[in-house]
Coordinates of all heavy atoms in Angstrom, one line a residue:
M344 N 19.4 14.8 7.4 CA 20.4 13.7 7.6 C 21.0 13.3 6.2 O 21.7 12.3 6.2 CB 19.8 12.5 8.3 CG 19.7 12.7 9.8 SD 19.3 11.1 10.6 CE 20.8 10.3 10.5
S345 N 20.8 14.1 5.2 CA 21.2 13.6 3.9 C 22.8 13.5 3.8 O 23.3 12.7 3.0 CB 20.7 14.6 2.8 OG 21.2 15.9 3.1
S346 N 23.5 14.2 4.7 CA 25.0 14.1 4.7 C 25.5 13.0 5.6 O 26.7 12.7 5.6 CB 25.6 15.5 5.1 OG 25.2 15.8 6.4
A347 N 24.6 12.4 6.4 CA 25.0 11.3 7.3 C 25.3 10.0 6.5 O 24.8 9.8 5.4 CB 24.0 11.1 8.4
V348 N 26.1 9.2 7.1 CA 26.4 7.9 6.5 C 25.3 6.9 6.8 O 25.0 6.1 5.9 CB 27.7 7.4 7.1 CG1 28.0 6.0 6.6 CG2 28.9 8.3 6.8
A349 N 24.6 7.0 7.9 CA 23.5 6.0 8.2 C 22.3 6.3 7.4 O 21.9 7.4 7.2 CB 23.2 6.2 9.7
P350 N 21.7 5.2 6.8 CA 20.5 5.4 6.1 C 19.3 5.8 7.0 O 19.3 5.4 8.1 CB 20.2 4.0 5.5 CG 20.9 3.1 6.4 CD 22.1 3.8 6.9
S351 N 18.5 6.6 6.4 CA 17.3 7.1 7.2 C 16.2 7.4 6.3 O 16.4 7.7 5.1 CB 17.7 8.4 8.0 OG 18.0 9.4 7.1
P352 N 14.9 7.2 6.8 CA 13.8 7.5 5.9 C 13.7 9.0 5.6 O 14.3 9.8 6.3 CB 12.6 7.1 6.8 CG 13.1 7.1 8.2 CD 14.5 6.8 8.1
P353 N 13.0 9.4 4.6 CA 12.8 10.8 4.3 C 12.2 11.6 5.4 O 11.4 11.0 6.2 CB 11.9 10.8 3.1 CG 11.9 9.5 2.5 CD 12.3 8.5 3.7
K354 N 12.6 12.8 5.6 CA 12.1 13.6 6.7 C 10.6 13.7 6.6 O 10.1 14.0 5.5 CB 12.7 15.0 6.6 CG 12.4 15.9 7.8 CD 13.1 17.2 7.7 CE 12.7 18.1 8.9 NZ 13.4 19.4 8.8
G355 N 9.9 13.6 7.7 CA 8.5 13.7 7.7 C 7.7 12.4 7.4 O 6.5 12.3 7.4
S356 N 8.5 11.3 7.1 CA 7.8 10.1 6.8 C 7.2 9.4 8.1 O 7.7 9.7 9.2 CB 8.7 9.1 6.1 OG 9.8 8.7 6.9
N357 N 6.2 8.7 7.9 CA 5.6 8.0 9.1 C 5.9 6.5 9.1 O 6.6 6.0 8.2 CB 4.1 8.3 9.1 CG 3.4 7.7 7.9 OD1 3.8 6.6 7.4 ND2 2.3 8.3 7.5
R358 N 5.5 5.8 10.1 CA 5.8 4.4 10.3 C 5.3 3.6 9.1 O 6.1 2.7 8.6 CB 5.1 3.9 11.6 CG 5.5 2.6 12.0 CD 4.8 2.2 13.3 NE 4.7 0.8 13.5 CZ 3.7 0.1 13.0 NH1 2.8 0.6 12.3 NH2 3.7 -1.2 13.1
R359 N 4.1 3.8 8.6 CA 3.6 3.1 7.5 C 4.5 3.3 6.2 O 4.8 2.3 5.5 CB 2.2 3.5 7.2 CG 1.6 2.6 6.1 CD 0.1 2.9 5.9 NE -0.7 2.5 7.0 CZ -1.6 3.2 7.6 NH1 -2.0 4.3 7.1 NH2 -2.3 2.7 8.7
Q360 N 4.9 4.5 6.0 CA 5.8 4.7 4.9 C 7.2 4.1 5.0 O 7.7 3.5 4.1 CB 6.0 6.2 4.7 CG 4.7 7.0 4.2 CD 4.9 8.5 4.3 OE1 5.4 9.0 5.2 NE2 4.4 9.2 3.3
A361 N 7.7 4.1 6.3 CA 9.0 3.5 6.5 C 8.9 2.0 6.3 O 9.9 1.4 5.7 CB 9.4 3.8 8.0
I362 N 7.9 1.3 6.7 CA 7.7 -0.1 6.6 C 7.6 -0.5 5.1 O 8.1 -1.6 4.7 CB 6.6 -0.6 7.4 CG1 6.9 -0.5 8.9 CG2 6.2 -2.1 7.1 CD1 5.7 -0.8 9.8
S363 N 7.0 0.3 4.3 CA 6.8 0.0 2.9 C 7.9 0.6 2.0 O 7.8 0.6 0.8 CB 5.4 0.4 2.4 OG 5.2 1.8 2.6
D364 N 8.9 1.2 2.6 CA 10.0 1.9 1.8 C 10.6 0.8 0.9 O 10.9 -0.3 1.4 CB 11.0 2.4 2.8 CG 12.2 3.1 2.1 OD1 13.1 2.5 1.7 OD2 12.1 4.3 1.8
P365 N 10.9 1.2 -0.3 CA 11.5 0.2 -1.3 C 12.8 -0.5 -0.8 O 13.0 -1.6 -1.0 CB 11.8 1.0 -2.5 CG 10.8 2.2 -2.4 CD 10.6 2.4 -1.0
Q366 N 13.6 0.3 0.0 CA 14.9 -0.3 0.5 C 14.6 -1.3 1.6 O 15.2 -2.4 1.6 CB 15.8 0.8 1.0 CG 17.2 0.4 1.4 CD 18.0 -0.1 0.1 OE1 17.6 0.2 -1.0 NE2 19.1 -0.7 0.4
V367 N 13.6 -1.0 2.4 CA 13.2 -2.0 3.5 C 12.7 -3.3 2.9 O 13.1 -4.4 3.3 CB 12.2 -1.3 4.4 CG1 11.6 -2.4 5.4 CG2 12.8 -0.2 5.2
V368 N 11.9 -3.1 1.9 CA 11.3 -4.3 1.2 C 12.4 -5.1 0.4 O 12.5 -6.3 0.6 CB 10.2 -3.8 0.2 CG1 9.7 -5.0 -0.6 CG2 9.0 -3.2 1.0
A369 N 13.2 -4.4 -0.3 CA 14.3 -5.0 -1.1 C 15.3 -5.8 -0.2 O 15.7 -6.9 -0.6 CB 15.0 -4.0 -1.9
R370 N 15.5 -5.3 1.0 CA 16.5 -6.0 1.9 C 15.8 -7.0 2.8 O 16.4 -7.7 3.6 CB 17.2 -5.0 2.8 CG 18.1 -4.1 1.9 CD 19.1 -3.3 2.8 NE 20.0 -4.3 3.4 CZ 20.5 -4.1 4.6 NH1 20.2 -3.1 5.3 NH2 21.3 -5.0 5.1
G371 N 14.5 -7.2 2.6 CA 13.7 -8.2 3.4 C 13.7 -7.9 4.9 O 13.7 -8.7 5.7
M372 N 13.6 -6.6 5.2 CA 13.7 -6.1 6.6 C 12.3 -5.9 7.2 O 12.2 -5.7 8.4 CB 14.5 -4.8 6.7 CG 15.9 -5.0 6.3 SD 16.8 -3.4 6.2 CE 16.3 -2.5 7.6
R373 N 11.2 -6.0 6.4 CA 9.9 -5.9 7.0 C 9.6 -7.2 7.7 O 9.8 -8.3 7.2 CB 8.8 -5.6 5.9 CG 7.5 -5.3 6.5 CD 6.4 -5.3 5.5 NE 5.1 -5.0 6.0 CZ 4.3 -5.8 6.7 NH1 4.7 -7.1 7.0 NH2 3.2 -5.4 7.2
M374 N 9.1 -7.1 8.9 CA 8.7 -8.3 9.7 C 7.5 -8.0 10.5 O 7.1 -6.9 10.7 CB 9.9 -8.7 10.6 CG 10.2 -7.6 11.6 SD 11.6 -8.0 12.6 CE 11.0 -9.2 13.7
D375 N 6.8 -9.1 10.9 CA 5.6 -9.0 11.7 C 6.0 -9.6 13.1 O 6.6 -10.6 13.2 CB 4.4 -9.8 11.1 CG 3.9 -9.1 9.9 OD1 3.9 -7.9 9.8 OD2 3.5 -9.9 9.0
L376 N 5.6 -8.8 14.1 CA 5.8 -9.3 15.5 C 4.4 -9.5 16.2 O 3.5 -8.7 15.9 CB 6.6 -8.3 16.3 CG 8.1 -8.0 15.8 CD1 8.7 -6.8 16.6 CD2 8.9 -9.3 16.1
N377 N 4.3 -10.5 17.0 CA 3.1 -10.7 17.7 C 3.1 -9.9 19.0 O 4.0 -9.9 19.8 CB 2.9 -12.2 18.1 CG 2.6 -13.0 16.8 OD1 1.9 -12.6 16.0 ND2 3.2 -14.2 16.7
H378 N 2.0 -9.1 19.2 CA 1.9 -8.3 20.4 C 0.7 -8.8 21.2 O -0.4 -9.1 20.6 CB 1.7 -6.8 20.0 CG 1.9 -5.9 21.1 ND1 0.9 -5.7 22.1 CD2 2.9 -5.1 21.5 CE1 1.3 -4.8 23.0 NE2 2.5 -4.5 22.6
P379 N 0.8 -8.9 22.5 CA -0.3 -9.5 23.3 C -1.6 -8.7 23.2 O -2.7 -9.3 23.4 CB 0.3 -9.6 24.7 CG 1.4 -8.6 24.7 CD 1.9 -8.6 23.3
T380 N -1.6 -7.4 23.0 CA -2.8 -6.7 23.0 C -3.1 -6.1 21.6 O -4.2 -5.9 21.2 CB -2.8 -5.5 24.0 OG1 -1.7 -4.7 23.8 CG2 -2.8 -6.1 25.4
A381 N -2.1 -5.8 20.8 CA -2.3 -5.2 19.5 C -2.3 -6.2 18.4 O -2.6 -5.8 17.2 CB -1.2 -4.1 19.2
G382 N -2.1 -7.4 18.7 CA -2.1 -8.5 17.6 C -0.8 -8.4 16.8 O 0.3 -8.1 17.3
K383 N -0.9 -8.7 15.5 CA 0.3 -8.7 14.7 C 0.7 -7.3 14.3 O -0.2 -6.5 13.8 CB 0.0 -9.5 13.4 CG 1.2 -10.0 12.7 CD 0.9 -11.0 11.6 CE 1.0 -12.4 12.3 NZ 1.1 -13.5 11.3
V384 N 1.9 -6.9 14.6 CA 2.4 -5.6 14.4 C 3.6 -5.6 13.4 O 4.5 -6.3 13.5 CB 2.9 -4.9 15.7 CG1 3.4 -3.5 15.5 CG2 1.8 -4.9 16.7
A385 N 3.4 -4.8 12.3 CA 4.5 -4.7 11.3 C 5.6 -3.9 11.9 O 5.4 -2.9 12.6 CB 4.0 -4.0 10.0
A386 N 6.9 -4.3 11.6 CA 8.0 -3.6 12.1 C 9.2 -3.8 11.1 O 9.1 -4.5 10.1 CB 8.5 -4.3 13.5
I387 N 10.2 -3.0 11.4 CA 11.4 -3.1 10.5 C 12.5 -3.9 11.3 O 12.8 -3.5 12.5 CB 11.9 -1.7 10.2 CG1 10.9 -1.0 9.3 CG2 13.3 -1.8 9.4 CD1 11.2 0.4 9.0
A388 N 13.0 -4.9 10.7 CA 14.1 -5.7 11.4 C 15.4 -5.0 11.5 O 15.6 -4.0 10.8 CB 14.3 -7.0 10.6
N389 N 16.2 -5.4 12.4 CA 17.5 -4.8 12.5 C 18.3 -5.1 11.2 O 18.3 -6.2 10.7 CB 18.2 -5.5 13.7 CG 19.5 -4.9 14.1 OD1 20.3 -4.4 13.2 ND2 19.8 -4.9 15.3
P390 N 18.9 -4.0 10.7 CA 19.6 -4.2 9.4 C 20.9 -4.9 9.5 O 21.5 -5.4 8.5 CB 19.8 -2.7 9.0 CG 19.9 -2.0 10.2 CD 18.9 -2.6 11.2
I391 N 21.4 -5.1 10.7 CA 22.7 -5.8 10.9 C 22.4 -7.3 11.0 O 21.6 -7.8 11.7 CB 23.4 -5.4 12.2 CG1 23.7 -3.9 12.1 CG2 24.7 -6.2 12.4 CD1 24.1 -3.2 13.4
R392 N 23.1 -8.1 10.2 CA 22.9 -9.5 10.1 C 24.2 -10.3 10.3 O 25.2 -10.0 9.6 CB 22.2 -9.9 8.8 CG 20.9 -9.3 8.6 CD 20.2 -9.7 7.4 NE 18.9 -9.0 7.3 CZ 18.2 -9.0 6.2 NH1 18.6 -9.6 5.1 NH2 17.1 -8.3 6.2
F393 N 24.2 -11.1 11.3 CA 25.4 -11.9 11.6 C 25.0 -13.4 11.3 O 24.0 -13.9 11.7 CB 25.8 -11.8 13.1 CG 26.2 -10.4 13.5 CD1 25.3 -9.7 14.3 CD2 27.4 -9.9 13.1 CE1 25.7 -8.4 14.7 CE2 27.7 -8.6 13.5 CZ 26.8 -7.9 14.3
S394 N 25.9 -14.1 10.5 CA 25.6 -15.4 10.1 C 25.7 -16.4 11.3 O 24.9 -17.4 11.4 CB 26.5 -15.9 9.0 OG 27.9 -15.8 9.5
D395 N 26.6 -16.1 12.3 CA 26.7 -17.1 13.4 C 25.9 -16.7 14.6 O 25.8 -17.5 15.5 CB 28.2 -17.1 13.8 CG 29.0 -17.8 12.7 OD1 28.5 -18.6 12.0 OD2 30.3 -17.6 12.7
S396 N 25.3 -15.5 14.7 CA 24.5 -15.1 15.8 C 23.4 -14.2 15.4 O 23.5 -13.0 15.4 CB 25.4 -14.4 16.9 OG 26.1 -13.3 16.3
P397 N 22.3 -14.9 14.9 CA 21.2 -14.1 14.4 C 20.5 -13.3 15.6 O 20.6 -13.7 16.7 CB 20.2 -15.1 13.9 CG 20.6 -16.4 14.5 CD 22.1 -16.3 14.8
I398 N 20.0 -12.2 15.2 CA 19.3 -11.3 16.2 C 18.0 -11.9 16.6 O 17.2 -12.4 15.8 CB 19.1 -9.9 15.6 CG1 20.5 -9.3 15.4 CG2 18.3 -9.0 16.5 CD1 20.5 -7.9 14.7
R399 N 17.8 -11.9 17.9 CA 16.5 -12.4 18.5 C 15.7 -11.2 18.9 O 16.2 -10.3 19.6 CB 16.8 -13.4 19.6 CG 17.5 -14.6 19.2 CD 17.6 -15.6 20.4 NE 18.5 -16.7 19.9 CZ 19.7 -16.9 20.5 NH1 20.1 -16.2 21.5 NH2 20.4 -17.9 20.1
Y400 N 14.4 -11.3 18.7 CA 13.5 -10.3 19.1 C 12.7 -10.9 20.3 O 11.8 -11.7 20.1 CB 12.5 -9.9 18.0 CG 13.3 -9.3 16.8 CD1 13.8 -10.1 15.8 CD2 13.7 -7.9 16.8 CE1 14.5 -9.6 14.8 CE2 14.4 -7.4 15.8 CZ 14.8 -8.2 14.8 OH 15.6 -7.7 13.8
R401 N 13.1 -10.4 21.5 CA 12.5 -11.0 22.7 C 11.2 -10.4 23.2 O 10.4 -11.1 23.8 CB 13.5 -10.9 23.9 CG 14.7 -11.8 23.7 CD 15.8 -11.6 24.7 NE 16.7 -10.7 23.9 CZ 17.7 -10.1 24.4 NH1 18.0 -10.1 25.7 NH2 18.5 -9.3 23.7
R402 N 11.0 -9.2 22.9 CA 9.8 -8.5 23.3 C 9.1 -7.8 22.1 O 9.8 -7.3 21.2 CB 10.1 -7.5 24.4 CG 10.7 -8.0 25.6 CD 10.6 -7.1 26.8 NE 11.4 -5.8 26.6 CZ 11.5 -4.9 27.6 NH1 11.0 -5.1 28.8 NH2 12.2 -3.9 27.4
P403 N 7.8 -7.7 22.1 CA 7.2 -6.9 21.0 C 7.4 -5.5 21.3 O 7.8 -5.0 22.4 CB 5.7 -7.3 21.2 CG 5.5 -7.7 22.6 CD 6.8 -8.3 23.0
P404 N 7.1 -4.6 20.2 CA 7.3 -3.2 20.4 C 6.3 -2.7 21.5 O 5.2 -3.2 21.5 CB 7.0 -2.6 19.1 CG 6.3 -3.7 18.3 CD 6.7 -5.0 18.9
P405 N 6.6 -1.7 22.3 CA 5.7 -1.3 23.3 C 4.6 -0.4 22.7 O 4.8 0.2 21.7 CB 6.6 -0.4 24.2 CG 7.7 0.1 23.3 CD 7.9 -1.0 22.3
L406 N 3.5 -0.4 23.4 CA 2.4 0.5 23.0 C 2.8 1.9 23.5 O 3.7 2.0 24.4 CB 1.1 0.1 23.7 CG 0.5 -1.3 23.3 CD1 -0.6 -1.7 24.2 CD2 0.2 -1.3 21.8
L407 N 2.2 2.9 23.0 CA 2.5 4.3 23.4 C 2.4 4.4 24.9 O 1.3 4.1 25.5 CB 1.6 5.3 22.7 CG 1.8 6.7 23.0 CD1 3.2 7.2 22.5 CD2 0.8 7.6 22.3
G408 N 3.5 4.8 25.6 CA 3.5 5.0 27.0 C 3.6 3.8 27.9 O 3.7 3.9 29.1
Q409 N 3.7 2.6 27.2 CA 3.7 1.4 28.0 C 4.9 1.3 28.9 O 4.8 0.7 30.0 CB 3.7 0.2 27.0 CG 3.7 -1.2 27.7 CD 3.7 -2.3 26.7 OE1 3.4 -2.1 25.5 NE2 3.9 -3.5 27.1
R410 N 6.1 1.8 28.5 CA 7.3 1.7 29.4 C 7.8 3.0 29.9 O 8.9 3.1 30.2 CB 8.3 0.9 28.5 CG 7.9 -0.5 28.2 CD 9.1 -1.3 27.8 NE 8.6 -2.6 27.4 CZ 8.7 -3.2 26.2 NH1 9.3 -2.5 25.2 NH2 8.2 -4.4 25.9
T411 N 6.9 4.0 29.9 CA 7.3 5.3 30.4 C 7.9 5.3 31.8 O 9.0 5.8 32.0 CB 6.1 6.3 30.3 OG1 5.7 6.4 29.0 CG2 6.5 7.7 30.8
D412 N 7.2 4.7 32.7 CA 7.6 4.6 34.1 C 9.0 3.9 34.2 O 9.9 4.3 34.9 CB 6.6 4.0 35.0 CG 5.4 4.8 35.2 OD1 5.2 5.9 34.5 OD2 4.5 4.5 36.1
E413 N 9.1 2.8 33.5 CA 10.3 2.0 33.5 C 11.5 2.8 33.0 O 12.6 2.7 33.6 CB 10.1 0.8 32.6 CG 11.3 -0.2 32.4 CD 11.0 -1.3 31.4 OE1 9.8 -1.6 31.1 OE2 12.0 -1.8 30.9
V414 N 11.3 3.6 31.9 CA 12.4 4.4 31.4 C 12.7 5.5 32.4 O 13.9 5.8 32.7 CB 12.1 4.9 30.0 CG1 13.1 6.0 29.5 CG2 12.0 3.8 29.0
L415 N 11.7 6.2 32.8 CA 12.0 7.4 33.7 C 12.7 6.9 35.0 O 13.6 7.6 35.5 CB 10.7 8.1 34.1 CG 10.0 8.8 32.9 CD1 8.7 9.4 33.3 CD2 10.9 9.9 32.4
A416 N 12.3 5.8 35.6 CA 12.9 5.3 36.8 C 14.3 4.7 36.5 O 15.3 5.0 37.2 CB 12.0 4.3 37.5
G417 N 14.3 3.8 35.5 CA 15.6 3.0 35.3 C 16.7 3.8 34.6 O 17.8 3.7 34.9
V418 N 16.3 4.7 33.7 CA 17.3 5.4 32.9 C 17.6 6.8 33.6 O 18.8 7.2 33.7 CB 16.9 5.6 31.4 CG1 17.9 6.4 30.7 CG2 16.7 4.2 30.8
L419 N 16.5 7.5 33.9 CA 16.7 8.8 34.5 C 16.8 8.8 36.0 O 17.1 9.9 36.6 CB 15.6 9.7 34.0 CG 15.5 9.9 32.5 CD1 14.4 10.9 32.2 CD2 16.8 10.5 32.0
G420 N 16.5 7.7 36.7 CA 16.6 7.6 38.1 C 15.5 8.4 38.9 O 15.7 8.7 40.1
L421 N 14.4 8.6 38.2 CA 13.3 9.3 38.9 C 12.5 8.4 39.8 O 12.3 7.2 39.5 CB 12.3 9.9 37.9 CG 12.9 10.9 36.9 CD1 11.7 11.5 36.0 CD2 13.6 12.1 37.6
D422 N 12.2 8.9 41.0 CA 11.4 8.1 41.9 C 9.9 8.2 41.6 O 9.5 9.0 40.8 CB 11.7 8.4 43.4 CG 11.3 9.9 43.7 OD1 10.4 10.5 43.1 OD2 11.9 10.4 44.7
A423 N 9.1 7.4 42.3 CA 7.6 7.3 42.0 C 7.0 8.7 42.2 O 6.1 9.1 41.4 CB 6.9 6.3 42.9
A424 N 7.4 9.5 43.2 CA 6.8 10.8 43.5 C 7.0 11.7 42.3 O 6.1 12.5 41.9 CB 7.3 11.4 44.8
K425 N 8.3 11.7 41.7 CA 8.6 12.6 40.6 C 7.8 12.2 39.4 O 7.3 13.1 38.6 CB 10.1 12.6 40.4 CG 10.8 13.4 41.4 CD 12.3 13.4 41.2 CE 13.0 14.2 42.3 NZ 14.5 14.2 42.1
I426 N 7.7 10.9 39.2 CA 7.0 10.4 38.0 C 5.5 10.8 38.1 O 4.9 11.2 37.2 CB 7.1 8.9 37.8 CG1 8.6 8.6 37.5 CG2 6.2 8.3 36.7 CD1 9.0 7.1 37.5
D427 N 4.9 10.6 39.3 CA 3.5 11.0 39.6 C 3.3 12.5 39.3 O 2.3 12.9 38.8 CB 3.1 10.6 41.0 CG 3.0 9.1 41.2 OD1 2.9 8.4 40.2 OD2 3.0 8.7 42.3
A428 N 4.3 13.3 39.7 CA 4.2 14.8 39.5 C 4.2 15.1 38.0 O 3.5 16.0 37.6 CB 5.3 15.5 40.3
L429 N 5.0 14.4 37.3 CA 5.1 14.7 35.8 C 3.7 14.3 35.2 O 3.2 15.0 34.3 CB 6.2 13.8 35.2 CG 7.6 14.3 35.4 CD1 8.6 13.3 34.9 CD2 7.8 15.6 34.7
R430 N 3.2 13.2 35.7 CA 1.9 12.7 35.1 C 0.8 13.7 35.5 O -0.1 14.1 34.7 CB 1.6 11.3 35.7 CG 0.4 10.7 35.0 CD 0.3 9.2 35.2 NE 1.2 8.5 34.3 CZ 2.3 7.8 34.7 NH1 2.6 7.6 35.9 NH2 3.1 7.2 33.8
A431 N 0.8 14.2 36.7 CA -0.2 15.2 37.2 C -0.1 16.5 36.5 O -1.1 17.1 36.2 CB -0.1 15.4 38.7
S432 N 1.1 16.9 36.1 CA 1.3 18.1 35.3 C 0.9 18.0 33.9 O 0.8 19.0 33.2 CB 2.7 18.6 35.5 OG 3.6 17.8 34.6
G433 N 0.7 16.8 33.4 CA 0.3 16.6 32.0 C 1.6 16.4 31.1 O 1.4 16.3 29.9
A434 N 2.8 16.4 31.7 CA 4.0 16.2 30.9 C 4.1 14.8 30.3 O 4.7 14.7 29.2 CB 5.2 16.5 31.7
I435 N 3.6 13.8 31.0 CA 3.5 12.5 30.5 C 2.1 11.9 30.6 O 1.3 12.4 31.5 CB 4.5 11.5 31.2 CG1 4.3 11.5 32.7 CG2 5.9 12.0 30.9 CD1 5.1 10.4 33.4
G436 N 1.8 10.9 29.8 CA 0.4 10.4 29.9 C 0.3 9.2 30.8 O 1.1 8.7 31.4

């Protein structure tokens, strides 16, 4: 993505590296969110800042697989039987 306009972390970087990236730190974008089961979770804030309408974070980040069924049903329109078949085949956890 080096030719893209949008900033992005170096290829192969992980979440911990992204959160401690000098640009993230310099812009004050590192934030902590409270998660009901994981406790305090470090995250990167939205880089877009509006003075009259600040961004609100309504939900904590999901745990791995926490919203799989919601996405498959709501976005892809899969019914429960198809989601169950994907889970049985090992395609999803």
Side-chain angles (χ1 to χ4, degrees):
M344 285 190 72
S345 61
S346 64
V348 175
S351 64
K354 185 176 181 178
S356 65
N357 62 33
R358 186 176 158 277
R359 184 174 292 139
Q360 290 169 321
I362 289 169
S363 61
D364 182 272
Q366 189 68 13
V367 170
V368 174
R370 294 198 62 215
M372 293 171 47
R373 187 190 183 282
M374 61 185 288
D375 291 323
L376 296 171
N377 291 319
H378 194 281
T380 57
K383 200 169 267 196
V384 179
I387 297 176
N389 190 323
I391 300 170
R392 297 183 181 168
F393 299 108
S394 57
D395 291 337
S396 54
I398 295 176
R399 295 186 188 117
Y400 299 91
R401 289 171 262 172
R402 299 196 295 186
L406 298 173
L407 182 62
Q409 181 178 346
R410 296 196 183 118
T411 300
D412 290 9
E413 178 184 338
V414 171
L415 292 174
V418 177
L419 298 179
L421 300 183
D422 61 26
K425 288 182 181 176
I426 294 172
D427 289 342
L429 286 171
R430 191 163 279 115
S432 74
I435 60 173

